[in-house]
Amino acid sequence: MARKKEFDEDELLNKAVALFWDKGYHATSAQDLVDGLGINRSSLYNTYTDKRTLFTKSLRQYQAKNTGAVLSMLKNVVNAQEAITQLLYAVIKESEEDELAKGCFMVNTAIELSSHDKEIGSLVAENAKSVEDAFARTIEKGQQDGQFTKAKSAKALAHFVFSTISGLRVSARSGVDKQTLEDIVEVALSALKA
Amino acid sequence: MARKKEFDEDELLNKAVALFWDKGYHATSAQDLVDGLGINRSSLYNTYTDKRTLFTKSLRQYQAKNTGAVLSMLKNVVNAQEAITQLLYAVIKESEEDELAKGCFMVNTAIELSSHDKEIGSLVAENAKSVEDAFARTIEKGQQDGQFTKAKSAKALAHFVFSTISGLRVSARSGVDKQTLEDIVEVALSALKA
DNA sequence: ACCGATTTGAAACATTCGTTCCGAATCGGT
DNA sequence: ACCGATTCGGAACGAATGTTTCAAATCGGT
């Protein structure tokens, strides 16, 4: 009935994620998107309406992939302490492999837009809540297994772990060395121990 | 010899700090600055060269005032544990009183610009280092006084405390409630205890 | 009271911004 | 093979960007 699209929408969205992730919303121009995605202006606006819509779709794409991976990993945890430990060291590994020091797209967006864009703000908040809830469930299991301290509620510990990751991501984006990140993770983990 | 300036440069710089702090570098336009500072375009460019220079001066102003206050508070600490505790709760109090949820200008700038602007990046890094060093000295004293754990080095604990504050500031900028921030602080403090 | 220096105000600058438009090209269905 | 629909390419849009210009206003020193 019509001409076929000449690009893979999902792959294109991944490219958009990379661009916005690296430079943020305001510093990424429409021209940057045209160049970076390798498609025409018309196709871009035709497919994604406008820049802001493309950004929110990129954010959702990131959430589906990255947050989704975390949630499914925490879905059926056998060893809670190992799971949380792995999660924190994964942040270090990720920042090691990322020579652009992009940090975390959600954290970056929270800082750049959350306080001035209600819709994006609640998207970020919702993402945080889903992660924290998963953390809390895992930590609660760790408490029952005697791995984590019961001196604080699972919810409080979950807030703490989430905040630790945010802090790690800020440091990663600032380009601190691996040793510093490991210091942070080790101390944070010690706070959870029974 | 010449006409007097009709504005107070220092007061003007404080206004610039507030503007950049709230909206970030890219989202704050020259027009926003003209409106917000209440001076003319010419005076602005005449006094501060250009937008980026004004931004760096604002950042230094923030550093001098805020980081300076922290450093001088940590200069002659008698009770290390009390000092660190106060510092963390001060972040909560500050975010409570800030209805705009501006977070921390340094953290915001680290996220927005550190990875793409070398000069600003090293300004942020230098600021972080001076704070972490002051933390380390205070924590070392706390270790000697038997308040803080010796299981980790003072430097590692300092990295952790700094990262915790970054995490708090991200949360504050995202608009989380006071209870969550208190959870984070309490768990973080427990990690430092002997 | 005047001169030289500096600030001010408002208009104008070129450039880039995000977005739209439209003819040409390309596809699927009949 | 042709039609209808959709996408593509590139030019063009008005608005906003950061910055400059310049005459008028205002000051201090003599």
Side-chain angles (χ1 to χ4, degrees):
Chain A
M1 223 199 275
R3 185 174 171 184
K4 255 197 314 190
K5 272 220 169 87
E6 292 185 0
F7 50 81
D8 180 347
E9 267 206 49
D10 191 74
E11 187 191 321
L12 220 61
L13 214 45
N14 289 335
K15 289 186 181 175
V17 168
L19 291 171
F20 282 129
W21 190 353
D22 180 34
K23 308 219 302 176
Y25 177 76
H26 288 292
T28 304
S29 68
Q31 188 60 48
D32 289 337
L33 292 167
V34 168
D35 295 344
L37 303 188
I39 62 167
N40 191 268
R41 261 188 166 60
S42 317
S43 307
L44 202 169
Y45 279 89
N46 186 334
T47 312
Y48 299 108
T49 314
D50 56 22
K51 182 183 165 185
R52 193 179 167 286
T53 304
L54 174 54
F55 184 84
T56 57
K57 284 195 179 177
S58 300
L59 203 56
R60 283 182 211 277
Q61 172 87 344
Y62 179 85
Q63 176 175 15
K65 286 184 102 179
N66 296 48
T67 304
V70 171
L71 293 187
S72 74
M73 176 223 171
L74 292 178
K75 199 78 184 177
N76 297 307
V77 165
V78 288
N79 190 327
Q81 184 167 311
E82 252 180 33
I84 299 292
T85 302
Q86 275 180 19
L87 221 54
L88 290 177
Y89 279 106
V91 175
I92 296 183
K93 194 182 172 193
E94 202 175 302
S95 80
E96 254 188 307
E97 291 165 352
D98 175 19
E99 66 283 349
L100 283 178
K102 298 199 298 296
C104 168
F105 191 21
M106 279 290 168
V107 170
N108 299 354
T109 302
I111 292 289
E112 190 186 4
L113 302 174
S114 267
S115 55
H116 290 281
D117 188 315
K118 277 180 67 174
E119 187 191 345
I120 291 177
S122 45
L123 208 159
V124 170
E126 179 204 310
N127 181 79
K129 178 155 177 36
S130 70
V131 173
E132 285 181 340
D133 286 350
F135 282 180
R137 280 192 295 272
T138 304
I139 288 171
E140 196 170 7
K141 177 170 166 50
Q143 286 177 320
Q144 286 163 2
D145 295 350
Q147 296 176 322
F148 292 146
T149 178
K150 290 181 180 171
K152 312 280 179 191
S153 71
K155 197 175 168 189
L157 294 179
H159 286 149
F160 169 74
V161 171
F162 187 83
S163 171
T164 296
I165 292 178
S166 297
L168 282 172
R169 248 71 193 261
V170 172
S171 299
R173 175 103 174 160
S174 309
V176 310
D177 56 56
K178 188 186 176 187
Q179 179 59 53
T180 299
L181 299 179
E182 285 176 347
D183 284 347
I184 297 165
V185 167
E186 284 175 25
V187 177
L189 284 173
S190 77
L192 303 178
K193 290 223 176 73
Chain B
M1 221 198 277
R3 184 173 172 184
K4 258 197 311 191
K5 272 219 168 90
E6 293 186 359
F7 50 81
D8 181 347
E9 267 205 47
D10 191 74
E11 188 192 322
L12 220 60
L13 214 45
N14 288 335
K15 287 187 184 175
V17 168
L19 291 171
F20 282 129
W21 189 354
D22 180 33
K23 308 218 301 177
Y25 177 76
H26 288 291
T28 304
S29 69
Q31 188 60 47
D32 289 337
L33 293 167
V34 169
D35 295 344
L37 303 188
I39 62 168
N40 191 268
R41 263 186 163 62
S42 319
S43 309
L44 201 168
Y45 279 88
N46 186 332
T47 312
Y48 300 108
T49 314
D50 57 21
K51 182 183 166 185
R52 193 180 166 285
T53 304
L54 175 55
F55 184 84
T56 57
K57 287 196 178 177
S58 301
L59 204 56
R60 284 183 211 278
Q61 173 87 345
Y62 179 85
Q63 177 177 19
K65 286 184 103 180
N66 297 48
T67 305
V70 171
L71 294 187
S72 73
M73 176 223 173
L74 293 178
K75 199 78 184 178
N76 297 307
V77 165
V78 289
N79 190 327
Q81 183 166 315
E82 251 179 33
I84 298 293
T85 302
Q86 274 180 20
L87 222 55
L88 290 177
Y89 279 105
V91 175
I92 296 182
K93 194 181 170 194
E94 201 176 302
S95 81
E96 252 188 309
E97 291 165 351
D98 175 20
E99 66 283 350
L100 283 177
K102 298 197 298 296
C104 168
F105 191 20
M106 280 289 168
V107 170
N108 299 354
T109 301
I111 291 289
E112 189 186 4
L113 302 174
S114 268
S115 55
H116 290 281
D117 189 314
K118 277 179 67 175
E119 188 192 343
I120 291 177
S122 44
L123 208 159
V124 171
E126 179 204 311
N127 181 78
K129 178 156 176 38
S130 70
V131 173
E132 284 181 339
D133 286 350
F135 283 0
R137 281 192 294 272
T138 304
I139 288 171
E140 196 170 6
K141 178 170 166 48
Q143 285 177 320
Q144 286 163 1
D145 294 351
Q147 296 177 323
F148 292 146
T149 176
K150 290 181 179 170
K152 312 281 179 190
S153 70
K155 199 177 167 189
L157 294 179
H159 286 150
F160 169 74
V161 171
F162 187 83
S163 170
T164 296
I165 292 178
S166 297
L168 281 172
R169 248 71 191 260
V170 171
S171 298
R173 176 103 172 159
S174 308
V176 310
D177 57 56
K178 189 184 176 188
Q179 180 59 53
T180 300
L181 299 179
E182 285 176 347
D183 284 347
I184 297 166
V185 167
E186 283 175 25
V187 177
L189 285 173
S190 76
L192 303 178
K193 289 223 176 73

